Amino acid sequence: MRFLLTDEQREFGRSLDALLTAADTPAVLRAWAAGDRGPGRALWGRLADAGVFALAVPEAYGGVGPLPVEAAVACVELGRHAVPGPVAETLAAGALLAGAGGPVAEEWLPGIASGAATVSLTLEGYGPYAPDADAADAVFTVTGDELRLAPDPGEPSASADPARRLFRPEPGGAPVAKGPAIRAAARSAGDTAAFATAALALGCGEELLRATVAYVKQRTQFGVPVGSFQAVKHRLADTLLGLEFARPLLYGAAVELASEVSRPGAGAGSAEGSSGAGAAVAAAKVAAGEAGYAAARTALQLHGAIGYTEELDLAWWLRRARPLRDVWGTPSACRARVLAG
């Protein structure tokens, strides 16, 4: 059995890295945080052209998915470059609406696949907040067996990441779908959101480690690079180990998700479709989230006072690591799910 990415999957990741490197994401992040969505939406359009958002949308609605392994490859790169916007939520909406089916799926899924529509959502069990709801074209909420389109994104709440604001959607809105399938679709969507967030956290941690290694090679103390100090080497090694141990859990969860999708009668939104992989997703989420946050703490300590400055591009990654750790499943909630599974 092969446990490595294929040449095509690796090339997909490299192509996204090249696209995002050329996009100058720190400038996009600053514009997004200031309320200028233009550069961010333009970047989303290029990512959609590369097929990123189609990975979560079934072929029947204009997508190519669901393809969890390719989605993991994509989200790691998006996390490495700190792409703004409701990435995990839009991918999760693909699973939610595919499971709901009917007119709401026909209306929104082709737009998600093409990049024309960004979506945020809230699900029972994951808290009342919808990330980047003000920048989304739609905010879906699930209560019981009812799927609703929120009438308004609501008021913003405090967020550690200025480029990822949290909103509590206004209650109400007419149901756009209802029935037992909605509960199953919501479970699948929750797993997809947690899985995508784990990949984003892993990518964020990788970039924090890369930037920190580069910095300690050039920063000197007592006439030598601080990276030559044994204590610094140990701290960086521990950070690398955390990220490398999280990586197989992420791709293991991707394989579990892919196997459940391909199982007869267990597609997206079915009663069985997200239960078996839930523990694998939770394990990946807690490992990647904790590793990414540990990378942020290492980066902040080894950069010293410069790590606190707004001018440092790395500050955007530093602020993102903890929210990614906690959204769509806190570490304690994920550990409890692993033990239960």
Side-chain angles (χ1 to χ4, degrees), residues 248-268:
L249 290 175
L250 175 69
Y251 286 104
V255 172
E256 289 286 344
L257 289 169
S259 66
E260 289 206 339
V261 168
S262 63
R263 184 184 308 151

Side-chain angles (χ1 to χ4, degrees), residues 196-302:
T197 303
L200 292 170
L202 179 62
C204 179
E206 287 181 347
E207 175 58 19
L208 285 162
L209 178 60
R210 184 207 64 76
T212 305
V213 169
Y215 181 72
V216 298
K217 286 181 178 179
Q218 69 180 23
R219 179 186 173 192
T220 60
Q221 199 170 60
F222 308 115
V224 297
V226 297
S228 65
F229 299 160
Q230 197 73 3
V232 172
K233 290 180 179 180
H234 285 176
R235 186 67 183 267
L236 292 171
D238 289 343
T239 302
L240 175 62
L241 283 174
L243 294 168
E244 289 303 315
F245 273 102
R247 190 185 314 281
L249 290 175
L250 175 69
Y251 286 104
V255 172
E256 289 286 344
L257 289 169
S259 66
E260 289 206 339
V261 168
S262 63
R263 184 184 308 151
S270 73
E272 303 172 9
S274 63
S275 56
V281 170
K285 176 64 169 60
V286 68
E290 294 281 34
Y293 182 51
R297 297 181 64 177
T298 296
L300 184 59
Q301 180 179 21
L302 297 186

Side-chain angles (χ1 to χ4, degrees), residues 31-46:
W32 189 276
D36 179 5
R37 313 298 186 193
R41 292 302 292 259
L43 179 57
W44 271 59
R46 294 196 289 275

Side-chain angles (χ1 to χ4, degrees), residues 32 37 41 85-86 89-90 108 117-121 130-140 153:
W32 189 276
R37 313 298 186 193
R41 292 302 292 259
E89 294 73 28
T90 297
W108 287 98
T118 60
V119 177
S120 192
L121 73 164
D132 287 309
D134 63 329
D137 299 297
V139 179
F140 290 99

